[in-house]
Amino acid sequence: MAKDPLDRPKIDDQEFIAANSEARKRYGRFNLAVVGNTGVGKSSLVNAVFGRELAKVGKGLPVTQGVNYYDDETLGIWDFEGFEIGSGKTPAESLRDGLKIVAKRPSSEQIAVVWYCVAANADRLTVPDIEMIRELDAAGLPVILVLTKVHWTKNPVTGKYRASKDTEAFRDWLEDPVDGDGEPIHLPVRRVILTSSQGKNGKGTGHGLGDLVAQTLALSPDSEKDAFRVAQRLNLPWKREMARPVILAAVAASAAAAAVPIPIADATTLAPIQMTMMGRIAAIYDLNMKTMMSTSAIAQLGAQMAGRALATSLVKLIPVAGNVINASVASAITAATGEAWVRFCEQVHIGKIDVSQIDGAWEQFAPTIVSVLGKLATQKGIKG
Ligand SMILES: Nc1nc2c(ncn2[C@@H]2O[C@H](COP(=O)(O)OP(=O)(O)O)[C@@H](O)[C@H]2O)c(=O)[nH]1
Ligand SMILES: [Mg+2]
């Protein structure tokens, strides 16, 4: 085997791969149903929130008339469109048939939340719309009414964006719908959200999407919330929050492993703990989906980073810490490695790091002696 030019300790990546696949299994797949006419902007919305084009299941054939399922490991999209009047069944009947087919599928494909999409420039809901929404509600599904392609204008004084008066009037009606005689209409939608997934000229990031993901999370069953946090790509703080307890657990395990101080020569004792941590964090950032990197390629990176963290931290820590790693040094190295890995994963996830140049990219994220010493100082501070 070629000698590592920096003489970094060799680290096995099996722990990474095992922890990564265990975490992926635990988070599972988030399933969303999008319902609405062709061209209303469903695919664009899915793309803006989840950041990817999904493969159609079943080689292009619809699951049934008007229903397609698209999925990858962490996301499934049930696309309901094209329920035409005149097929012999009402759209609500067709939808009900579609939902029956979904119900027979495995639990990993069951719908968590529905986005019922209507173009904002429509001035009302149609009777079939209302009947379809009632059908979804009767199936026990939480429905978000999403107004799509909202045209936003910026107030030059306040800098705030607003939808047109007509769109706001439509929203007000949706929140409190009445018929022509002023009689209330039963419209079981849980939220009404105004969105656009692109700007006027097809560019830009859109509006209302932060609200849409926040409400989708709020309405998701508890068992599906982490799956949604993993599958979506708009809200990075959620991912950071998920990573924090993973890092804390690894820090505690490192302290325990070094309760009897470890000779520096045996520093790689900590590596399995760090590799487990990094594998779990990579799952939170859905890295191999986003980048098409294999899990083992990510594991290799993790091993290199953990190795470098150990090598650079330890050599320089000897004057401070002596020839052994005690519990606080072990904790500090693991904490700094975890935080560096989170920053690295974020950058890959948002596409700031080019996958083709990934080889050198992690170097700048490896924890430095400064961050390790910083952690040590903080620990001392906490312990008084
Ligand atoms: N101006 C504008 N155009 C949009 C928006 N969302 C989608 N579109 C365009 O509307 C067309 C249909 O969108 P698509 O997402 O394929 O709709 P789907 O048939 O419901 O999946 C495409 O040409 C999109 O570029 C939006 O928010 N604003
Ligand atoms: Mg589409």
Side-chain angles (χ1 to χ4, degrees):
M1 186 184 275
K3 191 166 161 42
D4 185 310
L6 295 176
D7 205 20
R8 290 180 288 230
K10 285 277 169 296
I11 287 173
D12 188 356
D13 58 19
Q14 277 314 304
E15 308 280 345
F16 183 110
I17 293 170
N20 186 260
S21 79
E22 184 270 336
R24 285 176 175 282
K25 252 187 233 117
R26 187 156 37 83
Y27 295 136
R29 184 191 294 162
F30 183 81
N31 289 281
L32 176 77
V34 288
V35 185
N37 292 334
T38 308
V40 79
K42 298 182 298 300
S43 299
S44 306
L45 212 51
V46 165
N47 204 348
V49 167
F50 298 99
R52 56 210 194 237
E53 304 272 1
L54 296 169
K56 196 169 185 171
V57 172
K59 302 205 173 22
L61 287 172
V63 172
T64 180
Q65 185 64 42
V67 185
N68 285 297
Y69 188 55
Y70 302 82
D71 73 346
D72 62 27
E73 195 187 345
T74 58
L75 178 65
I77 299 292
W78 288 100
D79 189 341
F80 290 82
E81 80 180 0
F83 292 141
E84 305 299 340
I85 299 170
S87 66
K89 284 191 250 176
T90 67
E93 284 165 349
S94 301
L95 178 65
R96 189 189 310 158
D97 291 347
L99 291 173
K100 276 187 197 144
I101 288 172
V102 176
K104 292 193 190 112
R105 306 275 286 226
S107 62
S108 62
E109 298 182 5
Q110 296 305 309
I111 297 165
V113 173
V114 180
W115 294 349
Y116 195 98
C117 301
V118 178
N121 65 3
D123 49 6
R124 59 188 178 90
L125 287 188
T126 63
V127 170
D129 282 327
I130 294 168
E131 288 173 353
M132 286 168 82
I133 289 167
R134 289 176 183 164
E135 203 63 63
L136 292 160
D137 178 65
L141 299 170
V143 179
I144 297 178
L145 198 135
V146 184
L147 288 185
T148 59
K149 301 191 187 183
V150 171
H151 189 77
W152 303 85
T153 46
K154 190 175 176 177
N155 181 312
V157 181
T158 63
K160 285 199 178 136
Y161 284 86
R162 277 195 78 152
S164 70
K165 287 226 157 34
D166 286 349
T167 300
E168 287 187 350
F170 190 16
R171 192 236 341 254
D172 292 345
W173 182 87
L174 287 165
E175 284 176 346
D176 206 1
V178 288
D179 65 16
D181 302 326
E183 291 297 316
I185 295 176
H186 176 57
L187 183 68
V189 300
R190 309 279 292 271
R191 305 282 192 282
V192 178
I193 300 182
L194 275 52
T195 66
S196 61
S197 54
Q198 51 190 246
K200 266 189 275 204
N201 45 17
K203 298 214 175 67
T205 49
H207 279 284
L209 301 177
D211 196 16
L212 180 60
V213 293
Q215 299 308 330
T216 303
L217 181 71
L219 291 175
S220 295
D222 285 345
S223 60
E224 308 301 316
K225 285 190 191 325
D226 274 347
F228 180 66
R229 291 184 181 104
V230 167
Q232 63 84 35
R233 72 141 203 212
L234 283 181
N235 189 309
L236 284 174
W238 287 342
K239 293 181 188 283
R240 256 173 259 153
E241 277 165 33
M242 288 176 77
R244 197 174 305 131
V246 173
I247 296 176
L248 290 178
V251 165
S254 301
V260 174
I262 309 167
I264 289 237
D266 298 335
T268 49
T269 313
L270 294 176
I273 294 169
Q274 296 177 344
M275 294 305 287
T276 298
M277 167 182 78
M278 292 161 106
R280 289 180 181 159
I281 292 171
I284 293 168
Y285 286 90
D286 198 12
L287 275 203
N288 81 15
M289 216 55 244
K290 288 297 303 162
T291 63
M292 297 316 192
M293 286 170 80
S294 68
T295 309
S296 72
I298 303 170
Q300 285 298 321
L301 276 175
Q304 286 174 13
M305 189 148 125
R308 184 175 136 127
L310 285 171
T312 58
S313 314
L314 293 176
V315 169
K316 293 175 185 164
L317 271 172
I318 288 173
V320 185
N323 278 324
V324 292
I325 306 174
N326 64 23
S328 28
V329 173
S331 305
I333 295 171
T334 298
T337 305
E339 282 163 22
W341 185 246
V342 162
R343 275 184 284 125
F344 175 79
C345 289
E346 275 188 6
Q347 297 296 304
V348 176
H349 178 76
I350 64 179
K352 282 269 171 62
I353 291 177
D354 180 357
V355 192
S356 64
Q357 280 155 23
I358 206 138
D359 264 359
W362 62 271
E363 295 262 355
Q364 69 196 82
F365 289 89
T368 62
I369 187 71
V370 177
S371 63
V372 175
L373 289 174
K375 296 279 162 222
L376 280 171
T378 325
Q379 287 177 351
K380 294 218 172 78
I382 291 165
K383 283 174 191 155

